[in-house]
Amino acid sequence: MRREPFGRTGVLVPVVGQGTWNMERDGRKAAVAALRAGLDAGMSHIDTAEMYGAGRVEELVGEAIVGRREQVFLVSKVLPQNASRAGVLRACESSLRRLRTGWLDGYLLHWPGRHPLAETIAAFEQLTREGKLRAWGVSNFGVEDMERAVAIAGAERVGCNQVLYHLEERSIEHAVLPWCVARGIAVVGYSGSGHFPAPRSRGGKALAAIAAAHGATPRQVALAFLVRAMGLLTIPKAASAAHVVENAAAGELTLSDDEVRRIDAGFPRGPWRGLPTL
Ligand code: NAP
């Protein structure tokens, strides 16, 4: 599995990781087994959040990584309403308890909120000094939000910006993606596999033809496109073991310039409509 740096932290993470949103609905056994299968397949980046299932998903992830913590690049997120300095410290302790670990590899502000960003970042830095975080980052930040974060902390301190990115929603390519990449901040795309084109659409046909040439599946080609350049990571969520195996193999697939151009033509970026979120 190809790896990319998590910002300028010096830590390399697999380009295809594992999301966990809504996993509390999947049945504990299946979800835990899927996450473990993902680790076996090299998808060591696991993304979760205190919000998911109101803490139940973190508990489930904690169960999945028992005995394998050193293998995992574990990321969680704090809700904006908890992102005061004291609130972040409290929220992080709760996440660590649910995840059954002493540290997080990444801790993100889930989206910009009313608490001053400087307070949130001060708490992230304190947790880093205390050995509870290896790195921190943000999510759903546009360029202006990113400029504020970098003005407070320096670009070298911001590990990633996690944003909505799939073939039919490429708006981040207009501004926030190049802005982050130019500063060495990883762009972690979310919801990359849930929105999938109809096979008979122009884009669907392009994916199928490229997939056939590689002996791959259209979904693998789509994921490979989403991580086609330096600094791009993706975190598909899958509770089915077959989906996990399919997604992991996408991390080995390299597309030619011509293939990238064909996918680009099949899924036009469209005009800038503001930062997309769910
Ligand atoms: P997603 O990963 O795009 O889609 C998940 C859905 O796709 C599930 O129904 C899954 O099915 C299916 N799937 C996955 N791999 C598949 C495959 N190979 N073939 C067919 N179907 C497949 O959606 P997402 O959960 O919205 O986004 C991914 C992750 O990003 C989240 O889980 C979360 O960790 C993160 N996220 C972050 C934010 C944020 O605000 N920061 C927002 C949304 C998501 P099964 O589960 O049945 O396998």
Side-chain angles (χ1 to χ4, degrees):
M1 168 90 66
R2 188 161 61 79
R3 290 175 169 255
E4 281 289 321
F6 192 75
R8 282 149 66 176
T9 58
V11 184
L12 294 174
V13 292
V15 290
V16 182
Q18 305 192 74
T20 62
W21 189 28
N22 290 327
M23 259 196 176
E24 78 283 4
R25 300 179 190 166
D26 287 311
R28 201 173 188 95
K29 225 173 146 188
V32 166
L35 287 168
R36 289 182 181 159
L39 292 178
D40 292 341
M43 294 193 291
S44 55
H45 176 187
I46 297 183
D47 176 80
T48 190
E50 62 171 343
M51 185 186 95
Y52 299 168
R56 276 179 295 153
V57 173
E58 285 184 328
E59 287 170 0
L60 193 152
V61 171
E63 184 180 336
I65 65 175
V66 165
R68 318 180 63 161
R69 178 64 187 92
E70 296 287 341
Q71 250 181 279
V72 185
F73 187 84
L74 182 61
V75 175
S76 192
K77 310 185 203 77
V78 59
L79 280 164
Q81 59 263 38
N82 294 336
S84 65
R85 182 160 183 161
V88 170
L89 302 180
R90 270 195 306 272
C92 185
E93 288 303 331
S94 300
S95 287
L96 291 174
R97 196 185 58 248
R98 287 189 291 263
L99 288 160
R100 308 187 201 179
T101 184
W103 84 98
L104 292 171
D105 299 287
Y107 196 35
L108 318 183
L109 174 59
H110 210 144
W111 61 88
R114 66 182 163 83
H115 289 293
L117 188 57
E119 270 200 42
T120 311
I121 290 177
F124 285 164
E125 290 290 359
Q126 179 180 333
L127 289 164
T128 307
R129 284 192 302 275
E130 291 171 357
K132 292 173 181 165
L133 302 185
R134 279 175 86 193
W136 58 265
V138 294
S139 177
N140 297 303
F141 268 40
V143 168
E144 281 182 21
D145 300 315
M146 289 307 296
E147 279 168 346
R148 287 194 295 130
V150 163
I152 293 165
E156 70 284 0
R157 302 297 304 155
V158 188
C160 79
N161 184 17
Q162 189 180 113
V163 282
L164 180 62
Y165 190 40
H166 56 82
L167 285 177
E168 294 175 339
E169 179 45 86
R170 297 175 55 197
S171 295
I172 61 162
E173 293 178 20
H174 286 285
V176 75
L177 189 158
W179 194 97
C180 289
V181 168
R183 287 157 184 80
I185 296 169
V187 173
V188 182
Y190 67 72
S191 299
S193 62
H195 305 258
F196 208 71
R200 289 203 196 130
S201 63
R202 182 178 174 201
K205 283 182 189 160
L207 292 180
I210 295 165
H214 284 274
T217 67
R219 280 181 183 271
Q220 289 170 335
V221 173
L223 288 176
F225 179 84
L226 297 176
V227 296
R228 66 195 176 283
M230 277 172 55
L232 291 182
L233 307 170
T234 190
I235 44 168
K237 175 261 172 188
S240 130
H243 291 165
V244 165
V245 170
E246 182 178 7
N247 296 344
E252 317 276 354
L253 187 59
T254 304
L255 302 173
S256 69
D257 292 347
D258 178 59
E259 289 167 338
V260 167
R261 266 194 299 276
R262 284 156 60 199
I263 298 169
D264 183 56
F267 299 91
R269 190 193 285 182
W272 168 242
R273 293 180 301 273
L275 184 77
T277 56
L278 279 187

